[in-house]
Amino acid sequence: MSTERRDRRPVAHRFHRRYTAVVLVLAVVAALAAVVGAQQGPRLRDVSYDASGLVSRPAQRVILTANQALERVSADDVRVRPSAAHTVTSSGNTIAVEFTGPLAYDRDYTVTVAGVRAPGQRATADLTASIRTGSTDVLALVPGGDGTPDRIVRRSLDAGGVTTVHQAADITEYARLGRSLVVVSGSDASSSVDVVPLRGGVQDASSEIEHITLPTARGRVTALHVADDGASFGFEYADTSTGQSRNTGLYVVDMTGTHMPTAIAEDGKPTTGAVPMTVGQWAYVPRTESALVRTGSDDLVLVDMSGRADPVRLGSATYLHGFVGTGTTAVVETGTGIVRLDLTDGAESALQAPAASTDAPYLGRIAQLTDDTYLRVLGDVRSDGTISPRIVRVDGTRASRLAVTLPEDASVTAVCPSPNGQFVAVATKSASDELVSIVDATSGALEASIDAALVDWCGALPSGDEIS
């Protein structure tokens, strides 16, 4: 027994010495790291952002995470190149740079935070993050023919060719709904509405298509619009089950609830079984579940499609052109002119309209790009009575022609800005052809073209006939 104890004692002693040595080394390393950190200042550990969100929605963030807690960072400490309006918040070891509006497509940005400091340390450092925004694509409806189905295709602007997303007979309208696609098909007498699941940007063949039950046995669906968050979609519906259109008006489908169409009643509330509100034009206000509705009697109403808030009466309008920037302002036409209407308080301000933006017999819809910039289609009357169109760009008090090439014998049926206003889809129609040209909104340079009638960017504009 005594021999075994004598044998074990040196082993235990050696283990204790090694353990002590390791602890001392780690302590020295930690101390050195602390000294180096104090001398060098904080370091950037991680950067996170949504590349596609940065180009399609405002109020998107780039999050910078440092290797240690930081003193408060202000907006004056942050520089973005190329320049982009932003705000800054910081907490702990993270800095959030939030951009006021969408950024440009497919572009490199540098975010630099100058002079960051850890609490209690003297050393400062600059944190620099490089980000690259996403590219964009459009969905377009390509009509079939000779027994072939209609196709909804995706066209990327940074690559040639198209990808078929979904195909079916007699497609009339469609809209993106989160990771799904809402598709309206049928005829003037009878429509169907399907929610098509997507996977990898195309129809998911392993999942079933959801067929929405419409209010009556037969009816016509038009003016489809989808809320940005995908929580609901709405449309105008006309009951044709009696052979005559009746009870024509606005319906909403709550995708967080029953998925059943519910009438928006005359009082502006979603009500099962109610006579629906008549609609001249309508669209979801960007990034909300509220809809701006011009009724059949030209009343202007802000409707909460979820039913959680009371409707807001905003006077009257003869035409809805669209929304400005983040969506809290709409461009509407009244009996006395075109105004910018603040949807938060009902305040109106005159729209800048230089002489060169109104000097034509035909004045089309205004497509707002930024708070101060918009496009408008103007037209002169040809000898055969058709319209010879041109597109004018208005920047504040200056108006100039957008250098976009339009087919000689075609009319412009729509001008639809991209979500960030960098590009615009110009839809044209001639006797033999329909074409959508994607052009740079500043220079008019052609980016892509599709043999189609419209693209999904147009779904953000209020439904209704163009001004004539």
CSV table of all heavy atoms in Angstrom, one decimal, residues 281 292 318-323 330-334 337-339 351 363-368 375-376 415 460-462 466-467:
chain,number,residue,atom,x,y,z
A,281,GLN,N,-61.6,53.0,-58.1
A,281,GLN,CA,-60.2,52.6,-58.1
A,281,GLN,C,-59.8,52.2,-56.6
A,281,GLN,O,-60.4,52.7,-55.7
A,281,GLN,CB,-59.3,53.7,-58.5
A,281,GLN,CG,-59.3,54.1,-60.0
A,281,GLN,CD,-58.4,55.3,-60.2
A,281,GLN,OE1,-58.8,56.4,-60.0
A,281,GLN,NE2,-57.1,55.0,-60.6
A,292,LEU,N,-56.4,52.4,-50.1
A,292,LEU,CA,-57.0,53.7,-50.5
A,292,LEU,C,-58.0,53.4,-51.5
A,292,LEU,O,-57.7,52.8,-52.6
A,292,LEU,CB,-55.9,54.6,-51.0
A,292,LEU,CG,-56.4,56.0,-51.3
A,292,LEU,CD1,-56.9,56.7,-50.1
A,292,LEU,CD2,-55.2,56.9,-51.9
A,318,THR,N,-61.3,62.5,-58.2
A,318,THR,CA,-61.8,62.0,-59.5
A,318,THR,C,-60.8,60.9,-60.1
A,318,THR,O,-61.2,60.3,-61.0
A,318,THR,CB,-61.9,63.1,-60.5
A,318,THR,OG1,-60.7,63.8,-60.6
A,318,THR,CG2,-63.0,64.1,-60.0
A,319,TYR,N,-59.6,60.9,-59.5
A,319,TYR,CA,-58.6,59.9,-60.0
A,319,TYR,C,-57.5,59.7,-59.0
A,319,TYR,O,-57.1,60.6,-58.4
A,319,TYR,CB,-58.0,60.3,-61.4
A,319,TYR,CG,-57.3,59.2,-62.1
A,319,TYR,CD1,-58.1,58.2,-62.8
A,319,TYR,CD2,-56.0,59.0,-62.1
A,319,TYR,CE1,-57.5,57.2,-63.5
A,319,TYR,CE2,-55.3,57.9,-62.7
A,319,TYR,CZ,-56.1,57.0,-63.4
A,319,TYR,OH,-55.5,56.0,-64.1
A,320,LEU,N,-57.1,58.4,-58.9
A,320,LEU,CA,-55.9,58.1,-58.0
A,320,LEU,C,-54.7,57.8,-58.9
A,320,LEU,O,-54.8,56.8,-59.7
A,320,LEU,CB,-56.2,56.8,-57.2
A,320,LEU,CG,-57.5,56.9,-56.3
A,320,LEU,CD1,-57.6,55.6,-55.4
A,320,LEU,CD2,-57.5,58.1,-55.4
A,321,HIS,N,-53.7,58.5,-58.8
A,321,HIS,CA,-52.5,58.3,-59.6
A,321,HIS,C,-51.5,57.3,-59.0
A,321,HIS,O,-51.0,56.4,-59.7
A,321,HIS,CB,-51.7,59.6,-59.9
A,321,HIS,CG,-52.4,60.5,-60.8
A,321,HIS,ND1,-52.2,60.6,-62.1
A,321,HIS,CD2,-53.4,61.4,-60.6
A,321,HIS,CE1,-52.9,61.5,-62.7
A,321,HIS,NE2,-53.7,62.0,-61.8
A,322,GLY,N,-51.3,57.3,-57.7
A,322,GLY,CA,-50.4,56.4,-57.0
A,322,GLY,C,-49.9,57.0,-55.7
A,322,GLY,O,-50.5,57.9,-55.2
A,323,PHE,N,-48.8,56.4,-55.3
A,323,PHE,CA,-48.3,56.8,-53.9
A,323,PHE,C,-46.9,57.4,-54.1
A,323,PHE,O,-46.1,57.1,-55.0
A,323,PHE,CB,-48.2,55.6,-53.0
A,323,PHE,CG,-49.6,54.9,-52.8
A,323,PHE,CD1,-50.0,53.9,-53.6
A,323,PHE,CD2,-50.5,55.5,-51.9
A,323,PHE,CE1,-51.3,53.3,-53.4
A,323,PHE,CE2,-51.7,54.9,-51.7
A,323,PHE,CZ,-52.1,53.9,-52.5
A,330,ALA,N,-50.3,60.2,-51.1
A,330,ALA,CA,-50.9,59.7,-52.3
A,330,ALA,C,-51.0,60.9,-53.3
A,330,ALA,O,-51.1,62.0,-52.9
A,330,ALA,CB,-52.2,59.1,-52.1
A,331,VAL,N,-50.9,60.6,-54.6
A,331,VAL,CA,-51.1,61.6,-55.6
A,331,VAL,C,-52.5,61.4,-56.1
A,331,VAL,O,-52.8,60.3,-56.7
A,331,VAL,CB,-50.1,61.5,-56.7
A,331,VAL,CG1,-50.4,62.5,-57.8
A,331,VAL,CG2,-48.7,61.7,-56.2
A,332,VAL,N,-53.4,62.4,-56.0
A,332,VAL,CA,-54.8,62.2,-56.3
A,332,VAL,C,-55.2,63.4,-57.2
A,332,VAL,O,-54.7,64.6,-57.0
A,332,VAL,CB,-55.7,62.1,-55.1
A,332,VAL,CG1,-55.2,60.9,-54.2
A,332,VAL,CG2,-55.8,63.4,-54.3
A,333,GLU,N,-56.2,63.2,-58.0
A,333,GLU,CA,-56.7,64.3,-58.8
A,333,GLU,C,-58.1,64.7,-58.3
A,333,GLU,O,-59.0,63.8,-58.0
A,333,GLU,CB,-56.9,63.8,-60.3
A,333,GLU,CG,-57.2,64.9,-61.3
A,333,GLU,CD,-56.6,64.7,-62.6
A,333,GLU,OE1,-55.8,63.7,-62.8
A,333,GLU,OE2,-56.9,65.5,-63.5
A,334,THR,N,-58.3,65.9,-58.1
A,334,THR,CA,-59.5,66.5,-57.6
A,334,THR,C,-60.2,67.3,-58.7
A,334,THR,O,-59.7,67.4,-59.8
A,334,THR,CB,-59.3,67.3,-56.3
A,334,THR,OG1,-58.6,68.5,-56.7
A,334,THR,CG2,-58.5,66.6,-55.3
A,337,GLY,N,-57.5,70.1,-59.5
A,337,GLY,CA,-56.2,69.9,-59.9
A,337,GLY,C,-55.6,68.6,-59.3
A,337,GLY,O,-56.3,67.9,-58.6
A,338,ILE,N,-54.3,68.4,-59.4
A,338,ILE,CA,-53.6,67.3,-58.9
A,338,ILE,C,-52.9,67.7,-57.6
A,338,ILE,O,-52.1,68.7,-57.6
A,338,ILE,CB,-52.7,66.6,-59.9
A,338,ILE,CG1,-53.4,66.2,-61.1
A,338,ILE,CG2,-52.0,65.4,-59.3
A,338,ILE,CD1,-52.6,65.7,-62.3
A,339,VAL,N,-53.1,66.9,-56.5
A,339,VAL,CA,-52.5,67.3,-55.3
A,339,VAL,C,-51.8,66.1,-54.6
A,339,VAL,O,-52.1,64.9,-55.0
A,339,VAL,CB,-53.5,67.8,-54.2
A,339,VAL,CG1,-54.2,69.1,-54.8
A,339,VAL,CG2,-54.5,66.8,-53.9
A,351,LEU,N,-49.1,69.6,-56.5
A,351,LEU,CA,-48.0,68.9,-57.2
A,351,LEU,C,-47.3,69.8,-58.1
A,351,LEU,O,-48.0,70.6,-58.9
A,351,LEU,CB,-48.6,67.7,-57.9
A,351,LEU,CG,-47.6,66.8,-58.6
A,351,LEU,CD1,-47.0,65.9,-57.6
A,351,LEU,CD2,-48.3,66.0,-59.7
A,363,LEU,N,-53.1,63.8,-71.2
A,363,LEU,CA,-52.3,63.7,-70.0
A,363,LEU,C,-52.6,62.4,-69.3
A,363,LEU,O,-53.7,62.2,-68.9
A,363,LEU,CB,-52.6,64.9,-69.1
A,363,LEU,CG,-52.4,66.3,-69.8
A,363,LEU,CD1,-52.8,67.4,-68.8
A,363,LEU,CD2,-50.9,66.5,-70.1
A,364,GLY,N,-51.6,61.6,-69.2
A,364,GLY,CA,-51.8,60.3,-68.6
A,364,GLY,C,-51.5,60.2,-67.1
A,364,GLY,O,-51.3,61.2,-66.4
A,365,ARG,N,-51.4,59.0,-66.6
A,365,ARG,CA,-51.2,58.8,-65.1
A,365,ARG,C,-49.8,59.3,-64.7
A,365,ARG,O,-48.8,59.1,-65.5
A,365,ARG,CB,-51.3,57.3,-64.8
A,365,ARG,CG,-51.3,57.0,-63.3
A,365,ARG,CD,-51.0,55.5,-63.0
A,365,ARG,NE,-52.0,54.6,-63.4
A,365,ARG,CZ,-52.9,54.1,-62.6
A,365,ARG,NH1,-53.0,54.5,-61.4
A,365,ARG,NH2,-53.8,53.2,-63.1
A,366,ILE,N,-49.7,59.8,-63.5
A,366,ILE,CA,-48.4,60.2,-62.9
A,366,ILE,C,-47.8,59.0,-62.2
A,366,ILE,O,-48.5,58.3,-61.4
A,366,ILE,CB,-48.6,61.4,-62.0
A,366,ILE,CG1,-48.9,62.6,-62.8
A,366,ILE,CG2,-47.4,61.6,-61.1
A,366,ILE,CD1,-49.3,63.8,-61.9
A,367,ALA,N,-46.5,58.7,-62.5
A,367,ALA,CA,-45.8,57.6,-61.9
A,367,ALA,C,-44.7,58.2,-61.0
A,367,ALA,O,-43.7,58.7,-61.5
A,367,ALA,CB,-45.2,56.7,-62.9
A,368,GLN,N,-45.0,58.2,-59.7
A,368,GLN,CA,-44.0,58.9,-58.8
A,368,GLN,C,-42.8,58.0,-58.6
A,368,GLN,O,-42.9,56.8,-58.3
A,368,GLN,CB,-44.7,59.2,-57.5
A,368,GLN,CG,-44.0,60.2,-56.6
A,368,GLN,CD,-44.4,61.6,-57.0
A,368,GLN,OE1,-45.5,61.9,-57.4
A,368,GLN,NE2,-43.5,62.6,-56.7
A,375,LEU,N,-42.8,60.6,-63.4
A,375,LEU,CA,-42.9,60.5,-64.9
A,375,LEU,C,-44.4,60.6,-65.2
A,375,LEU,O,-45.3,60.3,-64.5
A,375,LEU,CB,-42.4,59.1,-65.4
A,375,LEU,CG,-41.0,58.7,-65.1
A,375,LEU,CD1,-40.7,57.3,-65.6
A,375,LEU,CD2,-40.0,59.7,-65.7
A,376,ARG,N,-44.6,61.2,-66.5
A,376,ARG,CA,-46.0,61.3,-66.9
A,376,ARG,C,-46.0,61.1,-68.4
A,376,ARG,O,-45.1,61.6,-69.2
A,376,ARG,CB,-46.6,62.6,-66.6
A,376,ARG,CG,-48.1,62.6,-66.8
A,376,ARG,CD,-48.8,63.9,-66.3
A,376,ARG,NE,-50.2,63.6,-66.1
A,376,ARG,CZ,-51.1,64.6,-65.8
A,376,ARG,NH1,-50.7,65.8,-65.5
A,376,ARG,NH2,-52.4,64.3,-65.7
A,415,VAL,N,-47.1,52.9,-67.2
A,415,VAL,CA,-45.8,53.3,-66.8
A,415,VAL,C,-45.7,52.9,-65.3
A,415,VAL,O,-46.3,53.5,-64.5
A,415,VAL,CB,-45.4,54.8,-67.0
A,415,VAL,CG1,-44.1,55.1,-66.5
A,415,VAL,CG2,-45.5,55.1,-68.5
A,460,ALA,N,-48.8,47.7,-58.0
A,460,ALA,CA,-48.7,48.7,-56.9
A,460,ALA,C,-49.5,49.9,-57.2
A,460,ALA,O,-49.9,50.7,-56.3
A,460,ALA,CB,-47.3,49.1,-56.6
A,461,LEU,N,-49.9,50.1,-58.4
A,461,LEU,CA,-50.7,51.3,-58.8
A,461,LEU,C,-52.2,51.0,-58.6
A,461,LEU,O,-52.7,49.9,-58.8
A,461,LEU,CB,-50.5,51.6,-60.3
A,461,LEU,CG,-49.0,51.9,-60.7
A,461,LEU,CD1,-48.9,52.1,-62.2
A,461,LEU,CD2,-48.5,53.1,-60.0
A,462,PRO,N,-52.9,52.0,-58.2
A,462,PRO,CA,-54.4,51.9,-58.1
A,462,PRO,C,-55.0,51.4,-59.4
A,462,PRO,O,-54.7,51.8,-60.5
A,462,PRO,CB,-54.9,53.3,-57.7
A,462,PRO,CG,-53.7,53.9,-57.1
A,462,PRO,CD,-52.5,53.4,-57.9
A,466,GLU,N,-56.9,54.2,-67.5
A,466,GLU,CA,-56.1,55.3,-67.6
A,466,GLU,C,-56.9,56.6,-68.0
A,466,GLU,O,-58.0,56.5,-68.5
A,466,GLU,CB,-55.1,55.1,-68.8
A,466,GLU,CG,-54.0,54.1,-68.4
A,466,GLU,CD,-53.0,54.6,-67.3
A,466,GLU,OE1,-52.5,55.7,-67.5
A,466,GLU,OE2,-52.9,54.0,-66.3
A,467,ILE,N,-56.3,57.7,-67.6
A,467,ILE,CA,-57.0,59.0,-67.9
A,467,ILE,C,-57.0,59.1,-69.5
A,467,ILE,O,-56.0,58.8,-70.1
A,467,ILE,CB,-56.2,60.1,-67.3
A,467,ILE,CG1,-56.2,60.0,-65.7
A,467,ILE,CG2,-56.8,61.5,-67.7
A,467,ILE,CD1,-55.4,61.0,-65.1
